Amino acid sequence: ARSLTFREFQACGTPDYHGVKDLIVSRRSLEDVVNAFRTNTFPEGAKYKLSSCLLKDKARDWREEVWRVVGDEVVDSMTRDDL
């Protein structure tokens, strides 16, 4: 299986998420990402990393803190259910 780039993932129309505390905005953003995974072939292990790169501003700060605390090895094995 070939590796996919973040640029290819973004080409699926996945939106950036800026940590807006609005349930509708958050749900729509998550559903757009889930739909991109449903309609394309991405390796299971790459999904968390690809989708986490869509986090910006406060959401990105949260992601970076999680990565710092748990380490790369744990992050590499994370799934959506772990969140």
Side-chain angles (χ1 to χ4, degrees), residues 2 9 20 22 31 34 37-38 47 52 58 66 75:
R2 75 180 186 88
F9 178 59
V20 176
D22 179 313
E31 286 304 315
V34 169
F37 290 140
R38 282 186 189 137
K47 291 180 180 181
S52 70
K58 291 179 183 181
V66 169
V75 170

Side-chain angles (χ1 to χ4, degrees), residues 58-75:
K58 291 179 183 181
R60 182 179 176 185
D61 293 342
W62 169 83
R63 181 202 69 191
E64 289 176 358
E65 183 62 19
V66 169
W67 283 18
R68 186 188 66 74
V69 170
V70 301
D72 289 338
E73 193 171 299
V74 172
V75 170

Side-chain angles (χ1 to χ4, degrees), residues 27-83:
R27 182 174 293 283
R28 285 181 180 163
S29 180
L30 179 60
E31 286 304 315
D32 287 342
V33 173
V34 169
N35 285 334
F37 290 140
R38 282 186 189 137
T39 58
N40 296 279
T41 305
F42 293 98
E44 193 62 38
K47 291 180 180 181
Y48 177 78
K49 279 189 170 181
L50 288 169
S51 59
S52 70
C53 289
L54 297 171
L55 302 178
K56 307 296 183 210
D57 304 325
K58 291 179 183 181
R60 182 179 176 185
D61 293 342
W62 169 83
R63 181 202 69 191
E64 289 176 358
E65 183 62 19
V66 169
W67 283 18
R68 186 188 66 74
V69 170
V70 301
D72 289 338
E73 193 171 299
V74 172
V75 170
D76 288 344
S77 65
M78 286 179 123
T79 67
R80 186 175 104 173
D81 294 337
D82 294 324
L83 298 176

